[in-house]
Amino acid sequence: NLFTGFIFCGCGAPMHMSYPGSKSKAKYKYYACSRRLDYKDCALRYIRADILEKSVINELKKLSEDKPRIQTIVNDLKEENRKALPFLKKNQQKFSRKIISFTKEKNGLLKWMSQKAAKPYTLNVLNERFEKIELELNDLTHSRWQVEEELKKRLHFGLSSEKVSQYLKNVVETFADFDRQEKKRILLEVIQKIKVNSSNEVHLLINLPQNFLLPYKARGFGEILLNGALRMRNTRKAIFSISYSIKDYYNNNSSSMK
């Protein structure tokens, strides 16, 4: 299902695809709160899947055309980067100093352990300390690598309002060309989470990548997405949200809700 895994009810429970039993609704698939399905203790109505899915794409389309809002988002990200860089550089230096210190101690232990006069008890103590230092160095090296990767992304900040707008337009314009699985993978690059509080209140938590190749259709947009050029999901929290009413998309179709 297109949204399974990143669509949630306002109560916090995940939403799953369901097929209501009534004949008038059997021809449609619905997203339903799992607590309503399992425990009957959530009042959120069933949301028709096709209408919700179309609404998400349409909201992304509207965002792609809202240049002032996109510019505000990009400006906020640039300011966030500016504030984060000193902290990241400080952490990088801190981890580097610790790595140097532990490496010196490790080399000293190796020198002691290589001496023929060292007693077995002393060697055991030195070996235990050596193993602890090795673990510390592994952890510190990994932590420094994480900080350096984050620094690279922020130092090479590649978003502009024009790029974001074109990126979202290409998502919308090419979306229908892909199969169900590919569509889901594309959406996962753009949407961190969908939260449905009610038919009047749907929230899309957006998580645009900070760096990406501008995916013009002529360059194989789907291929760029699916082959990992934008594998940045979950590396940062959602950067902004879109809120809207699903009722606006029902076109007064009262049979679409249960």
Side-chain angles (χ1 to χ4, degrees):
N1 299 320
L2 198 57
F3 296 151
T4 300
F6 62 105
I7 183 169
F8 295 85
C9 174
C11 73
M15 296 183 73
H16 300 307
M17 196 69 78
S18 179
Y19 300 83
S22 61
K23 291 183 179 180
S24 62
K25 298 179 176 64
K27 61 181 178 178
Y28 297 116
K29 294 186 292 185
Y30 290 77
Y31 284 101
C33 174
S34 58
R35 291 199 64 88
R36 174 171 179 172
L37 294 173
D38 296 337
Y39 305 108
K40 314 298 182 187
D41 63 352
C42 180
L44 181 68
R45 293 183 171 187
Y46 287 35
I47 306 294
R48 216 173 86 184
D50 61 324
I51 293 179
L52 179 59
E53 291 166 5
K54 288 176 183 177
S55 75
V56 168
I57 298 303
N58 193 62
E59 290 298 322
L60 291 178
K61 180 176 183 294
K62 289 196 290 186
L63 176 62
S64 73
E65 297 168 347
D66 191 346
K67 294 292 183 66
R69 185 176 185 187
I70 291 176
Q71 186 61 60
T72 299
I73 292 165
V74 170
N75 290 342
D76 289 345
L77 285 174
K78 288 180 178 178
E79 179 63 16
E80 179 188 314
N81 270 3
R82 187 188 67 79
K83 292 179 179 178
L85 285 174
F87 175 75
L88 290 169
K89 289 178 180 178
K90 184 177 179 180
N91 274 344
Q92 182 189 32
Q93 294 168 357
K94 179 184 71 174
F95 290 134
S96 293
R97 286 194 299 269
K98 287 184 176 182
I99 288 171
I100 291 171
S101 177
F102 277 115
T103 300
K104 286 181 178 179
E105 184 180 356
K106 174 185 170 183
N107 292 336
L109 288 174
L110 285 171
K111 185 176 180 180
W112 269 95
M113 293 166 70
S114 65
Q115 293 181 3
K116 293 181 180 180
K119 296 180 179 180
Y121 172 77
T122 302
L123 286 174
N124 287 337
V125 173
L126 294 176
N127 190 57
E128 287 180 6
R129 179 58 185 162
F130 183 86
E131 290 177 353
K132 288 181 179 179
I133 290 174
E134 284 279 80
L135 292 174
E136 290 281 358
L137 282 172
N138 287 337
D139 289 342
L140 287 168
T141 302
H142 180 68
S143 296
R144 185 175 65 177
W145 174 82
Q146 288 181 313
V147 170
E148 289 173 344
E149 288 299 302
E150 186 65 21
L151 268 172
K152 286 178 185 177
K153 285 186 284 187
R154 292 182 181 274
L155 286 170
H156 298 89
F157 183 83
L159 287 185
S160 68
S161 59
E162 188 60 36
K163 284 184 179 180
V164 173
S165 175
Q166 186 62 56
Y167 171 74
L168 291 172
K169 285 179 180 178
N170 281 325
V171 169
V172 172
E173 292 171 3
T174 64
F175 193 72
D177 299 336
F178 301 107
D179 62 31
R180 195 80 170 170
Q181 183 178 4
E182 290 171 335
K183 286 178 178 178
K184 183 168 185 174
R185 292 175 67 178
I186 290 170
L187 287 176
L188 284 170
E189 298 293 353
V190 183
I191 300 174
Q192 185 80 7
K193 180 179 179 181
I194 300 172
K195 184 180 179 184
V196 183
N197 288 346
S198 69
S199 57
N200 285 320
E201 190 179 347
V202 178
H203 302 281
L204 306 181
L205 278 67
I206 305 298
N207 183 22
L208 295 173
Q210 291 190 27
N211 294 284
F212 54 83
L213 298 173
L214 187 57
Y216 290 103
K217 287 183 286 184
R219 294 173 54 191
F221 176 52
E223 184 178 354
I224 290 173
L225 282 174
L226 301 180
N227 288 339
L230 303 179
R231 295 267 71 83
M232 297 179 67
R233 177 173 163 77
N234 294 326
T235 61
R236 53 184 282 116
K237 64 183 180 180
I239 56 177
F240 67 99
S241 65
I242 301 171
S243 300
Y244 65 98
S245 171
I246 193 70
K247 282 187 175 180
D248 297 339
Y249 292 91
Y250 270 91
N251 296 323
N252 300 318
N253 188 348
S254 60
S255 66
S256 297
M257 302 177 63
K258 180 181 178 179

